[in-house]
Amino acid sequence: MRPIEELVNHFKEKELALPIWFEGGAIKLIDQTKLPFEEEVCTITTISQLGEAISSMMIRGSGAIGICGAYGIFLAALNSKGSSKEVREAGELLKSTRPTAVNLMKTVDEMVAEAVGSGDELISRVEKKAVEILNRQLDFEYQLGAYGAELINDGDTVMTHCHSGAFGGAGYGGRAISVIRTAHEQGKNIHVYTCETRPYLQGARITALELKKFGIPHTLITDNMSGFCMSEGMIDKIVVGSDRVAANGDLANKVGTYMHALAAQAHNIPFYTATSSHTIDFNTRSGRDIEVEMRNATEVTTFKGIPTAPEGTHALYPSFDITPNGLITGIITEKGVISSPYETNLKKVIDKLTV
Ligand code: RUB
């Protein structure tokens, strides 16, 4: 069996919720559009199928789509019998699927840089790199989970937005849920408020599913209830993931994050992002330089094909928003919790040459 195929058994022993793996010469992924009602496994045999799976949100979350970059480039190497030209073309296709999350771009670049030589030599170099990246992503989740859990006290209520969890990462808990899961496994009695996350409902469909799987008490709220909950003293801390953190600490995350951060500041509630050094992009100076993906507005005027607004209604769907650094209490990473001033502290803590 190839080393990349052995990973799945190794990972499954760890009670992970794997979003994607490699088996029988193909990529397997859980179709997240069907969660929580079905855990349907899809088989991906070409790069165009993988690109379509990312664009259509069958697989999503910044960590998980980064991992698609590792599996995808390995698949391209195998399918092309080790052609560096075809591997590079596959990389360009994958990078064009979703513009905001930086992990996909960075992982593809790391993988393509290994695609030198040709034939079996190229394939095995690329496979080795993919295995390294996949193990690294999982290690990040345990490490940032441990740092983040130190911030969570016994008895805390923690609010999160969208889904920053196992199915959106390497399988332990992605980013925000790694913090929450670690605190729970440490025996802390915590309660999570999960925002449903209109219009795609990642919070209701996927975060609530994972919290249920991991046995973590939780309450589902609609996004517009967060201000009420904060004003009533129901929320002690907020932990969200991020699709990209700029060099100055501004972060892009699922649309709605910014309004939660504003309300948190008004109520003096600590607001953290849990992320990894891989999501910090020193080439992006500030949030203004982050491209926010605009998705099809029919995702706002319909739900699963059922209209939710009068026919012809004009709608807008920015998929992410930018939370400025001044609203962020700390950035939880696998190297520790980083606080303001981010321009200097991010560079100090993160050795950018390693990511
Ligand atoms: C997912 C989303 C998540 C981030 C952060 O958006 O915004 O909050 O990816 O998660 P989408 P993480 O569902 O549109 O991909 O930091 O765990 O990757």
Side-chain angles (χ1 to χ4, degrees), residues 204-223:
R205 295 188 304 105
I206 314 175
T207 304
L209 172 71
E210 276 182 20
L211 293 170
K212 186 177 169 190
K213 260 185 205 267
F214 301 146
I216 302 170
H218 56 282
T219 300
L220 176 66
I221 57 173
T222 60
D223 306 336

Side-chain angles (χ1 to χ4, degrees), residues 73 76-77 80 83-92 112 115 122 126:
I73 294 300
S80 68
S83 152
S84 59
K85 178 174 171 287
E86 289 186 42
V87 165
R88 278 197 304 278
E89 285 166 3
E92 290 312 308
V112 169
L122 182 149
V126 161

Side-chain angles (χ1 to χ4, degrees), residues 60-63 98 162 164 175 202 241-243 253-254 320:
R60 42 139 308 279
S62 74
R98 297 200 70 192
C162 192
S164 169
R175 282 73 178 270
Q202 290 96 326
S242 44
D243 289 85
N253 193 50
K254 180 55 57 194
F320 301 95

Side-chain angles (χ1 to χ4, degrees), residues 111-130:
M111 290 289 296
V112 169
E114 283 302 307
V116 292
S118 61
D120 286 346
E121 187 210 339
L122 182 149
I123 295 171
S124 72
R125 285 178 69 102
V126 161
E127 179 170 22
K128 195 165 160 240
K129 189 69 186 175

